[in-house]
Amino acid sequence: MLTFHGDAGLQAYDRIVNYELPAWEQLPESIQSRDFQRFVANEIGWLFPGENLLTGYMLQNYLKWELLPPVVGRKYSREHVAWCLCITLLKQVFELEQVNLGILLQRRLMPVQEAYAVFREQFKEALHFVFEALVLRTHPEAVDYPSEELAFNRLAVGAACRSLAWHLLTRIIMSSGGAERVFSDLADYCSPKLSSTELASLQNCKKTAEPSWRKE
């Protein structure tokens, strides 16, 4: 599992807070099944190490359940890749039936290219909100979000992406050996990047991360 412990873990922290999905134009326009699976694994597999995120069987089921549009010929399109990235991420926190409902909603609200752009933007903002603002600054309420992000056609996507970001943080805390381990490593790693106020806040959080029953 992904952790924030050690040099590799701290590099993972940097990668998460700066990560964004590929833009629409960067998605393959036409791709075969095996290359499709490798593309998804290479793009987001590092967030869920050791997990088989997409298989040919899964793709066939997504088509059967109409989570994806029909395939023309033997190759998948850019639209398939975009939706599959969203599905693969969202199914970490939602049942596929709920993911399907969300996709249907977005399809009614906007074209697929715009829907993917919204998801990409909201996922990036959610990772920043949870990891940069909470783990590093410990004050997520201090982060400003543009008012247009509360528009009805973005609200559900934004909420879903934040759920996913919190899920990722929870997994990392558990696999890192607890919150105090995470804060301890990050305090040393991030201290050159912080103001004195931010550093004091993070160090205080580090001191108080241990459960109260262990202090008795």
Side-chain angles (χ1 to χ4, degrees):
M1 294 181 71
L2 191 65
T3 75
F4 282 167
H5 180 57
D7 291 340
L10 295 173
Q11 290 173 8
Y13 170 79
D14 268 344
R15 190 174 180 184
I16 284 179
V17 296
N18 293 296
Y19 180 70
E20 57 184 328
L21 289 165
W24 174 264
E25 296 77 14
Q26 296 172 314
L27 300 177
E29 190 172 356
S30 179
I31 190 169
Q32 294 184 339
S33 177
R34 288 190 180 277
D35 293 331
F36 189 173
Q37 296 167 48
R38 280 193 290 268
F39 179 84
V40 170
N42 290 338
E43 189 57 47
I44 58 177
W46 64 277
L47 289 167
F48 311 99
E51 296 189 20
N52 200 357
L53 296 179
L54 183 65
T55 65
Y57 180 74
M58 291 177 191
L59 276 173
Q60 291 303 313
N61 279 336
Y62 295 166
L63 291 166
K64 178 181 177 181
W65 300 332
E66 298 183 345
L67 275 78
L68 298 174
V71 176
V72 178
R74 292 179 173 272
K75 292 187 176 181
Y76 295 88
S77 68
R78 184 173 284 160
E79 180 176 357
H80 291 106
V81 178
W83 283 125
C84 216
L85 284 170
C86 299
I87 291 167
T88 304
L89 287 168
L90 291 173
K91 75 175 186 178
Q92 300 293 324
V93 286
F94 299 105
E95 298 291 337
L96 278 176
E97 183 178 359
Q98 296 172 306
V99 174
N100 191 28
L101 289 173
I103 289 174
L104 290 174
L105 174 62
Q106 289 305 110
R107 281 177 175 170
R108 294 192 192 107
L109 291 174
M110 61 189 71
V112 59
Q113 184 174 351
E114 183 181 352
Y116 178 73
V118 168
F119 182 86
R120 178 174 179 262
E121 173 193 56
Q122 293 297 310
F123 186 49
K124 178 182 178 180
E125 293 289 351
L127 291 177
H128 174 81
F129 179 85
V130 170
F131 289 92
E132 175 78 5
L134 177 69
V135 176
L136 201 155
R137 302 172 192 268
T138 70
H139 293 296
E141 69 278 3
V143 178
D144 286 331
Y145 280 85
S147 59
E148 63 265 25
E149 289 191 15
L150 298 178
F152 73 97
N153 62 352
R154 295 174 181 236
L155 185 58
V157 176
C161 286
R162 290 201 189 181
S163 295
L164 176 57
W166 284 114
H167 173 76
L168 280 168
L169 177 61
T170 302
R171 288 171 59 126
I172 288 168
I173 288 175
M174 293 171 66
S175 60
S176 297
E180 60 187 291
R181 186 77 169 270
V182 170
F183 287 121
S184 177
D185 287 347
L186 287 179
D188 295 334
Y189 178 69
C190 298
S191 56
K193 308 176 184 180
L194 298 175
S195 68
S196 57
T197 302
E198 290 170 335
L199 181 59
S201 179
L202 182 58
Q203 289 174 333
N204 182 63
C205 190
K206 168 187 171 181
K207 292 176 183 177
T208 58
E210 188 175 3
S212 59
W213 65 82
R214 293 185 182 175
K215 299 177 182 179
E216 296 175 356

